[in-house]
């Protein structure tokens, strides 16, 4: 480049003329006949007698032709001719990319809003006229993971805020309510649906343990990681510390008999099955302080409702299904303690009974059957042929169930405040309630109450979870498989006003032994868990009109609930 620069400078100083296209020196009287590039658009380098030669450009100096190779070999390269072309192409390419981005955004907006409001041309598995299927946005695995699902609604409909207009929608829903008895599936049908689960869990449990446990042969060796494939450990970083500890102590808790190794497996003795935003976390935190109570390593495994179907986070779609062994691993810590009691000298000599019981507190267990449509035959007019309780009862007919409820109107508002991620306001809540009621009405016009309550499409379309507060629908379905004395139903309002009383009810229900005054004080006087956040409290109560609308909507369901439980407190008239 330095040589070429000095060459050009020398040419300029000699006051010579040059063709700017091909860098050929022009003599004073030269007609530029040697510049074959400058002869117009019809010039062809392949046919040109000069250009097709050595492909080197001749340079004229002082009327004498010489090869530039003598000074600097310059190979013709068509960069200059392509530069303008690329500049043009770059401009067009940028415009094309920008256009594609705009089109993608428009289409994404169309798809997102259309899928929610029934505007897509692709038909949904369930067509209710106002919404379409969106299987990737079912209720999430945990409270924190679900926050992303409740974004501000952008549905372009008229939200009628006056009470009489929305009351017409509620009247239509009320007129369609029928509490029909559900047909319970037989055991063989359940076996066909979950053959692996039935091959792992036995029919009978150890007679000397209050908690359902059994011994299972372990075929691994000392180098085998028993939790290497556990999906909870693989997909959740939060739980890896727990599994690291379990790996360290695993071999210390194996039972050796006749050259074989056995591990103690356990299921929960009781389940806190619902409902979300009704005080289940506080009940869990207090109950685990009891010396005879243990819980799963994870508070809410959501295995029965989600993980066994392969749902990790609903916005991510389906993954590999979590096998029942992964679920049982969550009770290994408690199983180790139960095994210690069973193998103690006192137990061996006197036949001592193990009184330690295990609990599980997934608040989705009572109501979340959203995944059924993807795995079970849809031949029941929109109603799920199998529910969570069918399988739990098949393995544990003596299981005990605890349900904590609250005024469904306040539960819905608390649910909205907890899960909404932006633009929270009492006006926004009102609009979401109105939209959800319209969607629920559309479903009820064509399908049964049970079909609408358990329908994934409807539940995903509603911007607030109205269906979770329809307690009696779920309770009646649980009562088709479990006896009434196996289910304890509590009210959050009673628990908040008298913790000691409700905890005594729970202890009695679970047949737990007496506590010392110090132990009881520790359980009952601890501060409440999972209370409303300060920023949510600043929004204040919901609009009076919204409250009136929701009271009308939930009234027939509360009335039926009070009749089933023989307790008018579940009418929630004073809250």
């Amino acid at each position: 480049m330095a040589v070429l620069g000095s060459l050009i400078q020398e040419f300029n100083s000699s006051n010579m003329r040059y063709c700017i296209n091909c860098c050929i020196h022009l003599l004073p009287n030269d007609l530029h006949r040697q510049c074959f590039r400058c002869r117009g658009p019809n010039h062809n380098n392949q046919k040109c007698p000069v250009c097709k030669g050595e492909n080197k450009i001749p340079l004229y100096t002082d009327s004498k032709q010489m090869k530039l190779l003598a000074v600097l070999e310059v190979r013709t390269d068509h960069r200059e001719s392509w530069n303008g072309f690329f500049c043009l192409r770059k401009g067009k390419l940028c415009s094309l990319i920008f256009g594609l981005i705009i089109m993608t955004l428009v289409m994404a907006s169309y798809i997102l809003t259309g899928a929610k409001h029934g505007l897509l041309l692709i038909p949904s598995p369930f067509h209710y006229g106002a919404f379409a299927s969106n299987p990737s946005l079912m209720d999430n695995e945990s409270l924190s993971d679900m926050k992303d699902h409740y974004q501000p609604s952008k549905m372009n409909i008229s939200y009628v805020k006056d009470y009489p207009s929305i009351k017409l929608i509620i009247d239509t829903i009320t007129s369609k309510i029928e509490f029909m008895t559900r047909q319970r599936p037989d055991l063989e049908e359940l076996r066909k649906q979950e053959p692996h689960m039935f091959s792992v869990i036995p029919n009978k449990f150890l007679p000397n343990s209050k908690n359902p446990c059994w011994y299972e042969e372990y075929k691994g060796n000392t180098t085998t990681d028993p939790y290497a494939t556990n999906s909870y450990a693989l997909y959740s970083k939060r739980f890896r510390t727990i599994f690291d500890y379990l790996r360290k102590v695993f071999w210390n808790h194996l039972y050796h008999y006749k050259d074989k190794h056995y591990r103690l497996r356990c299921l929960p003795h009781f389940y806190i099955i619902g409902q979300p935003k009704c005080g289940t976390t506080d009940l869990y935190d207090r109950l685990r302080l009891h010396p005879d109570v243990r819980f799963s390593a994870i508070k809410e495994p959501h295995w029965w409702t989600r993980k066994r179907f392969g749902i990790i986070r609903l916005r991510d779609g389906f993954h590999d299904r979590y096998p029942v062994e992964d679920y049982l691993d969550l009770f290994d810590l408690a199983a180790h303690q139960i095994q210690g009691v069973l193998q103690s000298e006192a137990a061996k000599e006197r036949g001592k009974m193990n009184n330690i019981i295990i609990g599980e507190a997934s608040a989705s267990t009572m109501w979340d059957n959203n995944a059924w449509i993807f795995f079970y035959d849809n031949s029941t007019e929109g109603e799920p042929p199998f529910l969570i309780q069918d399988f739990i009862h098949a393995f544990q007919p003596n299981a005990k169930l605890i349900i904590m409820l609250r005024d469904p109107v306040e539960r819905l508002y608390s649910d909205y405040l907890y899960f909404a991620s932006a633009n929270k306001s009492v006006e926004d809540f009102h609009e979401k309630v109105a939209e959800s009621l319209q969607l629920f009405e559309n479903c009820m016009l064509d399908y049964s109450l049970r079909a609408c309550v358990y329908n994934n499409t409807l539940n995903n379309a509603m911007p607030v979870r109205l269906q979770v507060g329809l307690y009696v629908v779920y309770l009646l379905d649980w009562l088709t498989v479990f006896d009434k004395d196996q289910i304890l139903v509590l009210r959050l309002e009673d628990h908040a006003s008298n913790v000691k009383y409700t905890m005594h009810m729970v202890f009695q229900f679970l047949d737990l032994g007496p506590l010392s005054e110090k132990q009881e004080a520790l359980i009952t006087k601890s501060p409440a868990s999972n209370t409303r956040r300060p920023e949510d409290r600043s929004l204040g109560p919901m609009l009076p009109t919204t409250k009136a609308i929701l009271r009308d909507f939930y009234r027939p369901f509360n009335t039926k609930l009070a009749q089933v439980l023989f307790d008018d407190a579940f009418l929630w008239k004073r809250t």
Side-chain angles (χ1 to χ4, degrees), residues 255-274:
Y255 177 63
H256 306 282
Y257 180 73
K258 292 185 178 180
D259 297 326
K260 292 184 178 180
H261 303 294
Y262 296 88
R263 64 190 296 187
L264 188 67
R265 288 293 207 177
C266 297
L267 280 168
H269 174 71
F270 70 95
Y271 296 84
I272 300 175
I273 63 174

Side-chain angles (χ1 to χ4, degrees), residues 308-561:
R308 70 187 180 99
F309 297 109
I311 302 171
I312 300 175
R313 294 180 180 84
L314 293 168
R315 61 177 177 266
D316 298 334
F318 290 94
H319 295 255
D320 293 334
R321 300 178 70 174
Y322 287 31
V324 65
E325 291 89 345
D326 291 1
Y327 180 60
L328 296 176
D329 287 345
L330 301 180
F331 306 105
D332 278 2
L333 284 173
H336 294 166
Q337 297 183 44
I338 292 174
Q339 184 178 1
V341 174
L342 295 176
Q343 294 183 354
S344 65
E345 292 300 324
K348 293 178 181 178
E349 294 176 3
R350 307 172 191 172
K352 182 180 178 182
M353 183 80 173
N354 164 61
N355 289 318
I356 295 176
I357 59 174
I358 305 174
E360 201 253 70
S362 299
S364 63
T365 307
M366 180 178 180
W367 64 275
D368 188 353
N369 281 276
N370 282 323
W372 76 268
I373 189 61
F374 303 102
F375 295 91
Y376 302 140
D377 179 38
N378 180 22
S379 59
T380 52
E381 297 184 351
E383 295 188 11
F386 309 102
L387 296 177
I388 304 303
Q389 52 265 42
D390 298 330
F391 294 98
I392 294 179
H393 183 269
F395 300 114
Q396 298 176 258
N398 298 319
K400 294 197 172 186
L401 312 167
I402 301 175
I403 303 172
M404 182 82 86
L405 305 177
R406 74 188 289 189
D407 181 354
V409 176
E410 297 299 333
R411 193 219 71 80
L412 186 65
Y413 188 49
S414 178
D415 201 60
Y416 163 79
L417 292 177
Y418 193 90
F419 295 133
S421 59
N423 300 325
K424 289 185 285 189
S425 68
V426 293
E427 293 80 12
D428 180 66
F429 176 65
H430 181 95
E431 292 177 353
K432 284 178 167 53
V433 167
E435 180 183 346
S436 299
L437 287 170
Q438 290 176 340
L439 294 171
F440 198 83
E441 178 197 27
N442 290 338
C443 180
M444 291 290 289
L445 291 174
D446 297 322
Y447 291 87
S448 68
L449 173 61
R450 182 178 291 108
C452 293
V453 167
Y454 289 120
N455 183 260
N456 169 64
T457 304
L458 173 62
N459 293 341
N460 293 334
M462 291 192 297
V464 290
R465 301 192 296 179
L466 284 175
Q467 81 281 5
V468 178
L470 305 180
Y471 308 138
V472 70
V473 179
Y474 306 112
L475 180 60
L476 288 173
D477 284 346
W478 281 85
L479 287 171
T480 62
V481 291
F482 286 97
D483 293 336
K484 202 170 184 178
D485 60 2
Q486 292 178 259
I487 303 176
L488 175 65
V489 184
L490 304 170
R491 295 195 329 147
L492 175 60
E493 292 84 358
D494 299 330
H495 180 67
S497 62
N498 194 338
V499 173
K500 186 175 182 178
Y501 174 74
T502 56
M503 294 309 298
H504 276 204
M505 289 182 64
V506 173
F507 297 156
Q508 184 178 1
F509 175 71
L510 297 176
D511 297 320
L512 294 173
L515 295 171
S516 65
E517 292 185 6
K518 185 177 180 180
Q519 290 174 325
E520 184 174 302
L522 178 65
I523 294 173
T524 59
K525 295 183 179 181
S526 299
S529 302
N530 202 22
T531 57
R532 185 170 295 179
R533 295 170 296 206
E535 60 270 26
D536 292 338
R537 292 198 199 101
S538 64
L539 293 177
M542 71 185 82
L543 296 174
T545 303
T546 313
K547 179 174 285 191
I549 289 169
L550 290 173
R551 291 227 177 280
D552 287 341
F553 171 70
Y554 285 118
R555 183 173 293 113
F557 301 99
N558 293 343
T559 300
K560 182 66 174 178
L561 179 64

